[in-house]
């Protein structure tokens, strides 16, 4: 199918009806414009060929492509069946597909006939499809429609289809998650499922139920991952899912290759087996077994989740930072008083580099024109504040969704003043910073309110102690990589970030204090490696040199993997 990377699916028939003068011939063409309008990218032939070659084993195999688009997989399957000796008279019985868009379904039939093949292609919603019998091979590329656009009856049908297989998906699930579960229903107990999936399968929380399901349903699960992007012009990272048999698998196998041109060597390549630990994501499969074993052992012995230190939460949502956040000169020019504004960490995170955000750091930023103030009248707005608010109302600021949902619209709902800041969208690493300036935060960063019995040690020691190789690797594992090389952590993921335990920091408290100036200087000079090495020598003392090397190489590999996405995006 067309790979729905962004946006939402568009009814092609409706789109053609709304195109003046569209002829019947034109209506059969799913144009580049229409594909772009719904974020559709068709599967590269090399991927389709590899998957059907793996999935189709005998001339008698039956093949099903759900949501078949332009029949990328059905065409490759027909060629595969022809090559291994299938009778042309049985092709129509062996090759079946379903497509929700009438124009695409007709195109698929035309493409197959032009190639000298035939197949049964029906028009309908895959989530409503009830097969007369299961298939030897189910192959395809699910729609990738983000949950914001995956709504209404389509979403209900998809979630019900997954629930019928015992899989309860969350409200944040993308369309592909339910698609995978539904597709498995069409596979014979001895059959095979071969799909192109987003790499979110490994990393997002909502895919946890899908990961569990795959291991429960199939006897063997394999994943192929790519170092380079394989969909031209698309930032989304993909994996190939190869699942077969029944009975349940305790682990899954992984192989990484460069791109589609190197798929021919996969069958003779080494595969790495990974057994997930509890609800752990599958991200550890991207790194070596030795590194993951060392990582898990150290985390068990010396670390604990960040959530154990305190609560993690998103900063205040203003609805319009351009209006609510002000520079000091802007506030003075408008006559706003101290009772009309409060101090904030400026929007964004570029100013957060060190271990501590002090009052002097706030003053320095305010002197350079940063937006360090937030409109927040402590009582009735002053005359100057009321004039500013009235100007904004005339400009329509109060009509923004977040603003119109609160009363009064101009009073931003603040969060608790945090003990620590946590940056959650980073190109390098998440950063923990002590909020010594006692300022408020906006939603460009997370706040952390530490547990009472951990407050003093946490404020002084946790930002420094978190600069270690295990936490750096852990951030790559618990977070997720986005297009452009961005690493993001949701609050639930931040809760699981491994940081040194309270006992470990207490034990090393004096040594950490002695390191603080050295580490701060290294960070100021942009030398993260020296800072991490110094902290490692204190907190990870006793860890074997070979294990330390494996940990650092694993983090560097995941980091460079993200950076390669950023470089690809700029080309």
């Amino acid at each position: 199918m067309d790979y729905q990377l962004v946006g939402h699916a568009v009814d092609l028939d409706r789109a053609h009806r709304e195109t003046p003068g569209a002829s019947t011939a034109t209506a059969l063409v799913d144009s580049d414009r229409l594909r772009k309008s719904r974020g559709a990218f068709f599967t590269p032939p090399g991927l389709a060929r590899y998957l059907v070659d793996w999935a189709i084993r005998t001339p008698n195999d039956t093949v099903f492509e759900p949501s078949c688009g332009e029949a990328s997989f059905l065409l490759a399957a027909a060629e595969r069946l022809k090559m291994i000796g299938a009778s042309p008279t049985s092709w129509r019985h062996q090759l079946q597909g379903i497509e929700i868009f009438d124009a695409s379904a007709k195109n698929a039939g035309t493409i197959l006939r032009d190639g000298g093949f035939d197949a049964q292609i029906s028009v309908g919603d895959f989530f409503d499809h009830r097969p007369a019998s299961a298939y030897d091979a189910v192959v395809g590329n699910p729609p990738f429609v983000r949950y914001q656009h995956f709504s209404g009856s389509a979403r209900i049908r998809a979630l019900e289809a997954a629930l019928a297989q015992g899989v309860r998906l969350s409200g944040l699930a993308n369309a592909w998650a339910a698609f995978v579960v539904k597709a498995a229903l069409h596979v014979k107990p001895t059959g095979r499922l071969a799909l192109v999936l987003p790499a979110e399968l490994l990393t997002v929380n909502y895919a946890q139920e899908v990961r569990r399901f795959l291991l429960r349903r199939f006897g063997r699960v394999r994943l192929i991952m790519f170092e380079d992007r394989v969909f031209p012009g698309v930032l989304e990272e993909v994996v190939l899912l190869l699942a077969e048999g029944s009975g349940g698998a305790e682990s899954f196998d992984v192989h990484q290759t460069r791109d589609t041109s190197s798929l021919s060597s996969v069958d003779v390549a080494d595969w790495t087996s990974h057994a997930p630990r509890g609800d752990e994501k599958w991200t550890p499969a991207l790194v070596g077994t030795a590194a993951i074993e060392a990582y898990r052992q150290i985390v068990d012995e010396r670390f604990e989740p960040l959530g154990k230190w305190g609560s993690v939460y998103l900063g205040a949502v203003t609805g319009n930072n351009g209006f609510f956040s002000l520079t000091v000169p802007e506030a003075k020019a408008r006559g706003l008083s101290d009772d009309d504004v409060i101090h904030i960490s400026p929007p964004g995170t570029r100013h957060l580099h060190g271990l501590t955000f002090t009052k002097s750091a706030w003053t320095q930023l305010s002197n350079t024109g940063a937006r360090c103030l937030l409109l927040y009248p402590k009582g009735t707005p002053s005359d100057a504040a009321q004039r500013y608010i009235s100007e904004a109302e005339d400009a329509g600021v109060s009509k923004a969704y977040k603003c119109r949902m609160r009363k009064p619209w101009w009073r931003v709902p603040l969060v608790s003043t945090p003990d620590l800041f946590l940056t959650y969208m980073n190109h390098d690493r998440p950063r923990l910073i002590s909020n010594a300036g006692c300022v408020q935060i906006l939603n460009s960063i997370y706040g952390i309110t530490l547990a009472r019995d951990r407050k003093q040690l946490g404020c002084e020691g946790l930002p420094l102690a978190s600069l270690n190789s295990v936490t750096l690797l852990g951030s790559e594992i618990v977070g997720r990589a986005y297009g452009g090389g961005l690493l993001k952590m949701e609050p639930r993921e931040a809760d699981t970030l491994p940081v040194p335990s309270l006992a470990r920091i207490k034990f090393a408290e004096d040594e950490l204090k002695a390191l603080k100036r050295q580490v701060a200087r290294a960070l100021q000079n942009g030398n993260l490696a020296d800072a991490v090495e110094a902290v490692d020598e204190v907190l990870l003392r006793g860890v074997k040199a070979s294990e330390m090397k494996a940990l650092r190489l694993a983090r560097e590999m995941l980091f460079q993997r993200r950076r390669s996405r950023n470089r690809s995006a700029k080309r």
Side-chain angles (χ1 to χ4, degrees):
M1 158 157 189
D2 32 19
Y3 193 57
Q4 309 273 5
L5 289 167
V6 293
H8 59 284
V10 174
D11 184 331
L12 292 185
D13 293 331
R14 183 185 66 193
H16 288 308
R17 288 196 300 270
E18 293 174 354
T19 304
S23 66
T24 303
T26 304
L28 294 182
V29 178
D30 187 3
S31 68
D32 289 341
R33 178 182 62 82
L34 288 170
R35 292 178 196 170
K36 186 176 181 180
S37 73
R38 69 181 193 275
F41 299 86
F42 287 96
T43 309
L47 287 185
R49 282 196 300 271
Y50 177 81
L51 289 175
V52 300
D53 286 353
W54 174 83
I56 300 173
R57 308 284 174 85
T58 76
N60 299 317
D61 279 354
T62 53
V63 184
F64 180 66
E65 182 181 0
S67 201
C68 62
E70 289 193 346
S72 300
F73 288 88
L74 283 180
L75 182 61
E79 293 169 345
R80 167 69 171 169
L81 287 172
K82 179 180 179 181
M83 183 183 71
I84 62 177
S87 171
T89 59
S90 65
W91 286 339
R92 183 170 177 80
H93 165 71
Q94 290 180 257
L95 298 169
Q96 296 182 28
I98 187 170
E99 168 58 43
I100 196 169
F101 299 119
D102 182 64
S104 289
K106 291 175 180 176
N107 272 345
T110 300
I111 290 168
L112 284 164
R113 286 191 295 273
D114 288 347
F117 304 109
D118 195 8
Q120 295 182 46
I121 300 177
S122 56
V123 178
D125 188 335
F126 171 56
F127 291 116
D128 289 333
H129 184 64
R130 297 291 184 268
S133 60
Y135 301 86
D136 296 295
V138 175
V139 294
N141 187 347
F144 189 83
V145 183
R146 294 199 179 279
Y147 76 93
Q148 298 95 327
H149 305 292
F150 182 40
S151 59
S153 60
R155 181 175 191 82
I156 293 172
R157 288 194 300 273
L159 296 182
E160 287 178 347
L163 192 59
Q165 291 277 77
V167 178
R168 186 181 296 277
L169 297 175
S170 81
L172 298 177
N174 266 313
W176 69 263
F179 190 101
V180 172
V181 178
K182 170 72 171 175
L185 179 64
H186 293 62
V187 181
K188 289 181 179 179
T190 57
R192 295 158 295 282
L193 178 66
L195 300 175
V196 182
L197 297 178
E200 286 188 355
L201 170 67
L202 284 73
T203 61
V204 297
N205 290 327
Y206 75 72
Q208 179 59 52
E209 291 300 320
V210 179
R211 294 191 288 265
R212 284 200 195 104
F213 169 76
L214 289 172
L215 293 179
R216 183 173 70 245
R217 162 62 178 83
F218 292 99
R220 188 180 197 185
V221 176
R222 288 190 152 192
L223 299 175
I224 298 175
M225 289 176 269
F226 299 95
E227 296 174 11
D228 295 338
R229 290 183 301 150
V230 295
F231 278 77
V234 179
L235 294 180
E236 189 68 37
E237 187 178 356
V238 303
V239 299
L240 304 186
L241 169 67
L242 310 175
E244 60 184 313
S246 301
E250 294 182 355
S251 61
F252 62 98
D253 301 327
V254 172
H255 175 72
Q256 295 189 63
T257 191
R258 179 166 295 280
D259 52 31
T260 55
S261 65
S262 56
L263 282 172
S264 58
S265 62
V266 168
D267 291 340
V268 295
D270 292 330
W271 292 73
T272 304
S273 180
H274 292 268
R277 177 190 279 193
D279 289 340
E280 181 183 66
K281 295 180 179 181
W282 287 6
T283 314
L286 293 166
V287 299
T289 303
I292 291 304
E293 289 179 351
Y295 168 80
R296 287 172 173 170
Q297 181 177 352
I298 295 169
V299 167
D300 288 346
E301 294 175 353
R302 309 187 189 192
F303 284 65
E304 58 192 8
L306 178 60
K308 195 166 183 178
W309 280 85
S311 58
V312 180
Y313 49 90
L314 186 66
V317 179
T318 68
N320 188 325
N321 285 350
F323 166 72
F324 286 101
S325 63
L326 302 100
T327 66
V328 170
E330 285 174 342
K332 288 182 178 179
R334 290 186 170 276
L336 299 177
S337 70
D338 289 344
D339 287 337
D340 291 322
V341 294
I342 60 172
H343 291 190
I344 60 170
S345 174
T349 61
R350 290 186 177 182
H351 58 286
L352 299 174
H353 298 295
L355 300 172
T356 307
F357 187 74
T358 62
K359 292 182 179 179
S360 62
W362 182 92
T363 301
Q364 184 177 357
L365 284 168
S366 68
N367 290 338
T368 59
R371 292 181 172 274
C372 292
L373 298 175
L374 181 75
L375 179 71
Y376 193 82
K378 296 177 176 61
T380 301
S382 67
D383 291 343
Q386 188 57 61
R387 285 194 297 272
Y388 185 47
I389 290 169
S390 296
E391 287 178 21
E393 289 174 342
D394 291 341
V397 173
S398 59
K399 296 179 181 178
Y401 175 75
K402 289 293 183 180
C403 295
R404 71 173 188 265
M405 295 301 290
R406 60 186 182 233
K407 294 182 180 180
W409 71 266
W410 43 262
R411 187 173 298 282
V412 175
L414 299 180
V415 297
S416 299
T417 302
D419 298 310
L420 303 174
F421 303 151
L422 173 64
T423 61
Y424 64 88
M425 295 185 71
N426 308 271
H427 281 103
D428 52 357
R429 63 180 175 90
R431 302 186 289 283
L432 272 172
I433 301 104
S434 178
N435 183 20
C438 297
V439 297
Q440 260 288 341
I441 58 169
L442 302 184
N443 62 337
S444 51
I445 54 177
Y446 291 151
I448 301 175
T449 298
L450 295 167
R452 185 174 301 176
D453 61 339
R454 294 173 178 240
K455 194 174 291 285
Q456 181 176 352
L457 190 60
C459 286
E460 294 178 357
L462 193 56
L464 174 62
S466 67
L467 286 167
N468 65 81
S469 293
V470 172
T471 298
L472 286 181
L473 174 56
S475 68
E476 301 286 346
I477 290 174
V478 305
R480 65 188 75 174
Y482 279 77
L486 194 67
L487 180 69
K488 181 180 180 182
M489 287 194 299
E490 300 294 341
R492 282 179 56 195
E493 293 164 340
D495 281 339
T496 66
L497 179 69
V499 295
S501 67
L502 176 64
R504 192 67 186 172
I505 294 180
K506 277 184 176 179
F507 179 78
E509 184 176 4
D510 291 340
E511 288 184 276
L512 288 173
K513 284 182 179 178
L515 279 181
K516 192 167 185 177
R517 184 171 297 179
Q518 173 189 342
V519 170
R521 190 183 308 116
L523 293 177
Q524 187 176 11
N525 294 331
N527 197 338
L528 176 64
D530 283 357
V532 171
E533 185 174 354
V535 176
D536 282 350
E537 287 179 1
V538 172
L539 292 179
L540 301 181
R541 187 174 295 139
V543 176
K544 295 178 182 178
S546 60
E547 292 177 337
M548 286 302 308
K549 182 179 180 181
L551 290 171
R552 290 169 179 167
L553 285 175
R555 188 266 170 176
E556 184 66 15
M557 188 275 290
L558 292 175
F559 174 65
Q560 292 299 337
R561 187 182 181 91
R562 283 196 293 110
R563 289 191 64 186
S564 70
R565 296 298 186 279
N566 191 28
R567 289 192 294 268
S568 297
K570 292 178 179 178
R571 284 200 291 266

